[in-house]
């Protein structure tokens, strides 16, 4: 039994240079009418700097930050609303032949 | 009869990746990765979410000297090891070619002279910098020879800068990851003679 609604995102290319555009296609499938309040995309950079394990002198050791959003890039997060916030978009209904 | 014909709605979106952001880096102790998170909020139903990996490339650096001045360059021991390279800025996948000159103050019995291409991953933790060296390739240039004092000997050096992973030079406030060329002269004493030359590695041509 297929899912009632699915979301898939396809990128023109998954490699991009800083300062360049990232083009995405959002494919939304539904078997029913659904009211979409908002659709948004956020590009986030995560950083993990655990460092090597502590050495025999006790120096070093893994830092607790693992996979947390990278703070200085967090200020540069991008949000691109595919459907404007507050706008209600009604997806087309099924049509029985 | 209920109808379940497949429906499909397609939207396009364009995001601009900011300038001056760290590229994707897949290392042992330093990791930087980018994720495009899509969320569709549906009234009276569970939201839909999707995560897509994005690989941000490191372009040819406009000002490599800025990076290089912040990377450590070391020389240890009672001899002079010096690299002569046409460039220290290379693209992953390129061949690094150059020369190494070796000079000892006095006659030295050398057990081994080798050159390593390696990645250094350093994490800033308070006033400490905790670092680790990941060897990528190594070449033994000569073994068991006498190096006359004051005489300079020159050796060819050649390495392939692997393009297998996303591992460009990265400098952030939390840590750095860079490549370096290291020469190690082992003369059988406790302290070996060594020298390093940091390299700036990128993985994509310019910004055009």
């Amino acid at each position: 039994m297929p899912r009632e609604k699915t979301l898939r995102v396809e990128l023109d290319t998954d490699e991009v240079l800083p300062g360049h555009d990232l083009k995405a296609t959002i494919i939304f499938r539904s078997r029913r009418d659904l009211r979409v309040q908002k659709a948004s995309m956020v590009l986030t950079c995560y950083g993990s700097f655990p460092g090597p394990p502590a050495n025999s002198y006790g120096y070093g050791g893994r830092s607790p930050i693992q996979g947390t959003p990278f703070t200085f890039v967090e200020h540069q997060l991008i949000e691109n609303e595919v459907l404007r916030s507050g706008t209600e978009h009604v997806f087309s209904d099924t049509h029985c032949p | 009869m209920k109808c379940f014909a497949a429906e499909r709605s397609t939207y396009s979106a364009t995001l601009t990746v900011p300038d001056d952001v760290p590229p994707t880096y897949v290392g042992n102790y330093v990791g930087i990765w980018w994720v495009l998170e899509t969320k569709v909020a549906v009234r009276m139903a569970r939201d839909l979410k999707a995560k897509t990996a994005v690989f941000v490339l490191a372009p040819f650096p406009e000002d490599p000297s800025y990076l290089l001045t912040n990377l450590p360059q070391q020389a240890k021991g009672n001899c002079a090891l010096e690299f002569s390279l046409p460039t220290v800025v290379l693209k992953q996948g390129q061949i690094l070619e150059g020369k190494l000159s070796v000079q000892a103050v006095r006659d030295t019995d050398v057990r081994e002279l080798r050159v390593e291409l390696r990645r250094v991953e350093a994490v800033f933790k308070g006033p400490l910098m905790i670092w680790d060296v990941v060897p990528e390739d190594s070449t033994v240039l000569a073994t068991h020879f006498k190096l006359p004092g004051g005489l300079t000997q020159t050796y060819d050096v050649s390495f392939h800068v692997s393009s297998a992973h996303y591992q460009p030079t990265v400098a952030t406030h939390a840590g750095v990851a860079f490549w370096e060329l290291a020469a190690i002269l082992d003369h059988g004493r406790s302290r070996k003679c060594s020298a390093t030359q940091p390299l700036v590695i990128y993985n994509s041509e310019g910004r055009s």
Side-chain angles (χ1 to χ4, degrees):
Chain A
M1 180 88 178
R3 287 181 171 221
E4 196 165 279
K5 56 187 193 294
T6 59
L7 174 66
R8 200 170 84 245
V9 177
E10 290 178 356
L11 302 175
D12 279 14
T13 171
D14 62 358
E15 291 187 341
V16 64
L17 280 163
H20 280 231
D21 288 345
L22 179 68
K23 288 177 186 157
T25 304
I26 303 109
I27 300 152
F28 185 93
R29 282 178 188 272
S30 172
R31 289 195 292 130
R32 283 201 241 168
D33 281 4
L34 287 171
R35 288 170 184 266
V36 174
Q37 291 174 310
K38 182 181 170 182
S40 59
M41 303 184 89
V42 176
L43 182 63
T44 310
C45 178
Y46 292 90
S48 174
F49 298 87
N55 63 20
S56 55
Y57 300 101
Y59 290 107
R62 291 172 185 277
S63 149
I65 47 164
Q66 285 220 36
T68 49
F70 200 7
T71 318
F72 92 89
V73 177
E74 206 175 17
H75 297 298
Q76 299 178 51
L77 289 181
I78 295 167
E79 185 167 333
N80 188 353
E81 293 179 16
V82 178
L83 299 177
R84 256 179 266 153
S85 180
T87 305
E88 289 185 348
H89 183 92
V90 181
F91 285 79
S92 62
D93 198 357
T94 52
H95 296 286
C96 290
Chain B
M1 179 183 156
K2 218 169 179 182
C3 178
F4 289 110
E7 292 163 51
R8 177 181 162 129
S9 297
T10 304
Y11 300 90
S12 293
T14 302
L15 307 174
T16 304
V17 179
D19 269 317
D20 301 323
V21 292
T24 299
Y25 184 88
V26 183
N28 293 12
Y29 304 121
V30 171
I32 295 170
W33 65 96
W34 289 80
V35 181
L36 181 66
E37 291 164 291
T38 309
K39 182 180 168 188
V40 176
V42 183
R43 180 173 284 182
M44 305 294 283
R46 187 178 293 176
D47 293 347
L48 281 173
K49 294 174 185 172
K51 288 188 178 182
T52 314
V54 175
F55 298 93
V56 175
L57 300 173
F60 179 85
E62 287 172 358
D63 185 12
S65 59
Y66 170 77
L67 278 170
L68 285 165
T69 51
N70 288 299
L71 299 176
Q73 190 169 2
Q74 297 177 346
K76 291 178 186 169
N78 197 19
C79 64
L81 298 167
E82 193 172 346
F83 287 105
S84 172
L85 305 170
T87 178
V88 292
V89 181
L90 293 120
K91 186 180 176 185
Q92 273 196 286
Q94 274 187 331
I95 305 287
L96 164 66
E97 286 181 321
K99 293 189 182 300
L100 171 71
S101 62
V102 182
Q103 191 184 56
V105 175
R106 60 182 73 89
D107 289 1
T108 305
D109 289 317
V110 180
R111 284 185 179 178
E112 183 184 86
L113 174 65
R114 73 173 186 279
V115 181
E116 289 180 356
L117 178 67
R118 55 200 195 184
R119 279 185 298 113
V120 181
E121 296 181 356
V123 178
F124 307 127
K125 202 172 178 184
L128 285 174
M129 187 167 93
I130 303 153
W131 55 278
D132 194 71
V133 174
V134 184
E136 290 285 339
D137 204 353
S138 176
T139 302
V140 175
L141 298 176
T143 56
H144 301 288
F145 65 100
K146 189 176 280 292
L147 184 62
L151 185 76
T152 301
Q153 292 196 2
T154 305
Y155 299 85
D156 288 330
V157 173
S158 177
F159 282 110
H160 177 237
V161 182
S162 167
S163 57
H165 304 288
Y166 293 95
Q167 289 168 335
T169 297
V170 174
T172 74
H173 76 282
V176 294
F178 62 96
W179 293 66
E180 69 178 14
L181 208 50
I184 301 116
L185 187 144
D186 182 356
H187 47 70
R189 296 178 197 135
S190 57
R191 281 193 70 187
K192 291 172 185 170
C193 196
S194 64
T196 61
Q197 169 63 57
L199 305 168
V200 174
I201 304 296
Y202 63 101
N203 53 20
S204 177
E205 299 297 347
R207 293 170 182 270
S208 59

